[in-house]
Amino acid sequence: MIGQRKPGWMFPANDDGQENGLNDPGIETFKDHPLTSVAREGLQNSSDAADNSGKPVEVHFQKLEIPSSEFPGCAEFKKVLQACAAFSTSSKQTVQFFEDALKVLSQEKLSILRIADFNTTGLVVGNKDDRTSDWFKLTKSVGVSDKNAGKLGSFGIGKHAPFACSDLRTVFYGTKDKNGATAFQGVSKLVSHRRDKKIITQGTGYFGNKSGNRPLLDFNAVSPIFERKKVGADVYVMGFHPYDDWEAKIIKTVIESFFVAIHHGTLIVKVGKTTLNKTSLPDQIKKHYAGPDPAYFADAYYQVLTSEDTERFMEEDFEGMGKVTLRILENKEFRKKVAMFRRSGMKIFDKGHFQTPLRFAGVFTVEGAALDALLRTTEPPSHNAWEPERGADTAASKRILKKINAWITDRVRDLGTTEDVAEVDAEGVSQYLPDDIEDDAHGTPQQIETINEEPVDVLEIRLRSTPPSSAPIHEPDEKAKDETDDEDEGTEGGPDGPPNDTDGGGGGGGGGGDTDGTKDKNNGGAEKPEHGNKRVEIGNVRIYCADPSAGLYRLLFEPTSGGVNHLRIYVIGEVGVEPAPVATFSVNGGPDISEIPERGLIGPLALQQGTRAVINVVLEDSLHCALGVSAY
């Protein structure tokens, strides 16, 4: 402490510049999922700082309680909170925040979340004029990151995640770096206010050496609880919000995002008294994944990593940019998701929307340095997607992402076609096949029809039994969809989305039914294609692929029990049906229509009873599959 002034809080003057409010953009980025964000960002930063000793990076999440009086600079900080409230009287929300913050700091005990890492380099402090040191970038810079290729962080925004968990919007940092240097400093992101009754401040203030807002270079002036003795870094979230079951939520986030690193023994995480390592991981997965949860998939992914039945696909030099690996495991309970990883070891997102009857889970990893560097530029600050528009070269990013999606889809298709399948030159054979939807037990009887347009491609034929036409109709309902097809919901890693997978060739058909229904008064009295609305029987049905390269299918049929307002188009697989990914359609030679009300649904239409209809349907990504149709 020799040569240092008494430590304290300092909010720099804004010098008649911009005034800061409470809605900090960096913090707002992580407020939707604060615990998930603080876990992912904390582990990301620690993993990026591995000391290359060969030992696993170890990160501890620990909730502490200290006397509120031991909050560094407590009395001074209370005055800051009061000044912020007095300066922000025009915003009730802001005033309420500071009133609540004062209550938190006035309680006898203060809750803290400590995030501590080991077997890392720590935060390299550097000298007082070093503006490139890890310490300076963490505490003083915004939107700046000089992390090398292969690291996760690239925006300098993730540092805001801990503030989203603090009821005081305040975080303290401590370190002992690889060179033996130590440092301690607090950062508080509040609002502009009056200092000394006249100076308007910036919204961000610092605890430490007030001269230059520099860190304390030892721990003598603060409570011993903040002292750092081993090499590594500490993050203290002050006034940690009282989340329900915070440990379980962080544990599940850690498993979901870092199961590969934990399984490979490069990461150990302790949350409270729970240790997550290679040995405990399977038991922790069983404990925290006991029931179905549409947002979590690590239990299936872990089986992919550990099962002897997993299929492994690898490209040593994908598009000239290095190695990629895909592991896939079939299981009827899986939800057709692939975990997407860069070489840094944190899951970026779950790739879904595979149009295949095969139930599987997969793990995709990028190991090539050049490919990893390109993908890194496409990630948003939350590192949960690959968005080509963010890339330094948008065209190259789009091309590579499409190649990755197509490669994964092809590997899934390869796995789905390993069973014995007979292939024949099926010119004209589609008109002789039963075309009812597999799950629709009331399939409309098919009739042979003479027509000049015949399918010309080689079709893969899979035999299916045709149920008796007297059986009741079965439409997939919302409950069934939730239970079996939730993999098709949610967002993908980037706006292009992955290409859909395929299964089979040829065409399918369907129709029929006399289910009573109600009319949509907002649609001219037309029956809506929802449950409880009227199904229209169709006859003389033919469905075939008219242009495989374009994904163009032709549906020919005749409404027999009434007019048709809407059609539902299905992809038929061995184990069920799914809504078809229709890109465009046309009716009786009319213009192409791209407005699709919902997946697999086309309309409104005006097809008359007894009149032959010809519907051209183009599927996304030129999908090659068997189709079925129901009319309403």
Side-chain angles (χ1 to χ4, degrees):
M1 297 295 294
I2 297 177
Q4 294 187 13
R5 295 171 56 189
K6 182 180 179 181
W9 283 97
M10 173 62 71
F11 284 74
N14 76 344
D15 291 328
D16 296 318
Q18 178 176 286
E19 294 184 5
N20 304 119
L22 196 62
N23 296 321
D24 183 284
I27 298 174
E28 292 296 322
T29 300
F30 302 104
K31 285 187 72 174
D32 285 347
H33 305 284
L35 284 177
T36 295
S37 299
V38 79
R40 280 173 58 91
E41 295 296 331
L43 291 173
Q44 164 196 309
N45 292 333
S46 296
S47 297
D48 285 348
D51 62 7
N52 298 319
S53 65
K55 297 179 180 179
V57 169
E58 192 165 323
V59 182
H60 298 181
F61 292 83
Q62 181 183 16
K63 185 176 179 180
L64 307 172
E65 283 193 342
I66 63 170
S68 295
S69 59
E70 292 186 7
F71 179 96
C74 181
E76 192 176 11
F77 191 73
K78 285 182 178 180
K79 293 180 181 180
V80 169
L81 296 178
Q82 292 168 349
C84 288
F87 192 78
S88 306
T89 53
S90 61
S91 171
K92 292 182 179 180
Q93 178 185 7
T94 301
V95 171
Q96 186 63 53
F97 171 84
F98 288 108
E99 290 178 354
D100 293 341
L102 284 165
K103 291 178 182 178
V104 169
L105 204 53
S106 298
Q107 294 175 358
E108 182 179 350
K109 296 289 184 179
L110 180 68
S111 292
I112 302 174
L113 177 67
R114 179 194 185 210
I115 307 170
D117 64 35
F118 305 89
N119 301 326
T120 65
T121 60
L123 291 163
V124 177
V125 178
N127 61 55
K128 66 179 182 179
D129 297 318
D130 186 356
R131 305 177 69 83
T132 65
S133 70
D134 293 342
W135 186 269
F136 182 90
K137 286 185 289 185
L138 176 65
T139 59
K140 294 290 184 67
S141 64
V142 177
V144 176
S145 178
D146 295 325
K147 290 186 178 181
N148 298 323
K151 305 299 184 182
L152 276 165
S154 56
F155 289 89
I157 295 176
K159 70 186 74 173
H160 292 84
F163 292 91
C165 296
S166 169
D167 286 340
L168 299 175
R169 295 280 286 267
T170 302
V171 175
F172 284 88
Y173 305 99
T175 190
K176 181 175 183 179
D177 71 16
K178 61 182 180 180
N179 303 314
T182 58
F184 181 82
Q185 191 165 24
V187 179
S188 188
K189 294 184 178 294
L190 303 177
V191 299
S192 295
H193 56 277
R194 292 190 186 278
R195 190 184 77 204
D196 301 327
K197 298 184 179 181
K198 56 183 178 178
I199 298 174
I200 306 283
T201 71
Q202 299 177 24
T204 299
Y206 304 89
F207 175 86
N209 186 343
K210 291 186 177 182
S211 176
N213 281 324
R214 296 192 180 99
L216 305 179
L217 299 181
D218 57 47
F219 299 96
N220 293 334
V222 295
S223 170
I225 197 172
F226 298 110
E227 185 175 0
R228 182 79 197 201
K229 296 182 179 180
K230 294 183 178 180
V231 174
D234 294 320
V235 176
Y236 297 94
V237 180
M238 309 302 289
F240 180 52
H241 187 77
Y243 297 101
D244 293 334
D245 208 10
W246 72 271
E247 289 188 19
K249 291 176 181 177
I250 287 184
I251 289 171
K252 205 162 184 179
T253 295
V254 171
I255 293 173
E256 192 68 23
S257 297
F258 293 90
F259 64 88
V260 169
I262 296 173
H263 173 68
H264 288 158
T266 60
L267 177 67
I268 296 173
V269 182
K270 292 184 178 181
V271 183
K273 296 181 179 180
T274 301
T275 298
L276 295 166
N277 56 27
K278 184 175 182 178
T279 302
S280 67
L281 183 59
D283 288 337
Q284 289 299 318
I285 288 177
K286 289 180 182 178
K287 177 179 178 180
H288 292 278
Y289 290 75
D293 189 329
Y296 295 95
F297 310 96
D299 52 343
Y301 295 147
Y302 183 72
Q303 294 183 54
V304 174
L305 294 182
T306 57
S307 173
E308 295 181 355
D309 297 325
T310 296
E311 295 283 347
R312 186 169 180 264
F313 303 93
M314 183 174 60
E315 285 282 344
E316 286 291 347
D317 195 18
F318 185 83
E319 295 295 310
M321 303 185 75
K323 183 178 177 181
V324 297
T325 302
L326 175 65
R327 295 171 174 83
I328 306 176
L329 179 64
E330 292 184 66
N331 188 306
K332 65 181 181 180
E333 302 298 327
F334 291 167
R335 291 181 283 176
K336 294 188 282 188
K337 294 286 187 180
V338 174
M340 307 294 281
F341 282 83
R342 285 199 292 111
R343 65 196 303 206
S344 50
M346 183 175 78
K347 185 183 73 174
I348 306 302
F349 66 96
D350 300 295
K351 173 179 166 61
H353 300 285
F354 290 94
Q355 287 294 330
T356 172
L358 179 72
R359 313 292 293 193
F360 69 93
V363 176
F364 173 80
T365 54
V366 172
E367 300 173 49
L371 183 56
D372 183 83
L374 182 146
L375 293 175
R376 180 172 178 249
T377 67
T378 69
E379 293 173 12
S382 52
H383 301 285
N384 60 357
W386 289 335
E387 301 171 349
E389 287 78 9
R390 292 180 176 271
D393 185 337
T394 300
S397 298
K398 285 185 176 180
R399 182 181 66 83
I400 289 298
L401 286 172
K402 286 184 178 179
K403 290 284 187 179
I404 289 174
N405 287 331
W407 185 79
I408 293 173
T409 295
D410 288 344
R411 302 294 77 77
V412 173
R413 181 188 298 120
D414 291 343
L415 193 64
T417 58
T418 54
E419 58 191 279
D420 292 332
V421 177
E423 291 193 359
V424 296
D425 184 354
E427 182 175 355
V429 76
S430 65
Q431 60 184 310
Y432 299 104
L433 296 178
D435 289 330
D436 55 309
I437 298 177
E438 183 177 19
D439 281 3
D440 182 354
H442 193 304
T444 300
Q446 307 301 299
Q447 301 181 17
I448 299 174
E449 177 191 14
T450 301
I451 190 165
N452 293 327
E453 294 174 293
E454 300 293 346
V456 295
D457 59 327
V458 176
L459 303 181
E460 182 183 271
I461 306 303
R462 299 179 183 232
L463 298 181
R464 294 182 285 107
S465 62
T466 304
S469 60
S470 60
I473 298 170
H474 172 69
E475 278 289 334
D477 58 20
E478 291 303 315
K479 181 178 180 181
K481 183 178 186 298
D482 290 341
E483 293 174 351
T484 63
D485 289 310
D486 56 0
E487 67 275 9
D488 291 325
E489 300 299 324
T491 58
E492 276 296 310
D496 286 341
N500 293 316
D501 198 9
T502 65
D503 183 79
D514 293 318
T515 305
D516 290 334
T518 57
K519 295 184 178 182
D520 183 358
K521 296 180 181 179
N522 297 320
N523 192 29
E527 284 83 11
K528 296 193 303 179
E530 302 296 339
H531 311 298
N533 290 284
K534 192 172 182 180
R535 183 90 164 263
V536 177
E537 293 213 20
I538 54 178
N540 297 325
V541 179
R542 292 189 61 250
I543 304 176
Y544 64 89
C545 184
D547 186 350
S549 64
L552 172 63
Y553 289 77
R554 186 151 295 153
L555 289 64
L556 304 98
F557 61 88
E558 177 181 318
T560 60
S561 65
V564 172
N565 301 105
H566 290 78
L567 298 175
R568 282 199 181 275
I569 312 299
Y570 297 98
V571 173
I572 303 173
E574 289 88 341
V575 297
V577 298
E578 299 183 32
V582 177
T584 64
F585 70 94
S586 63
V587 181
N588 295 329
D592 290 339
I593 300 172
S594 59
E595 295 182 4
I596 311 300
E598 64 181 67
R599 194 177 183 89
L601 177 67
I602 63 175
L605 307 171
L607 306 180
Q608 302 299 317
Q609 179 179 353
T611 301
R612 187 64 162 162
V614 180
I615 311 293
N616 286 338
V617 171
V618 176
L619 302 185
E620 295 175 3
D621 303 306
S622 302
L623 180 64
H624 196 199
C625 61
L627 287 184
V629 60
S630 296
Y632 299 85

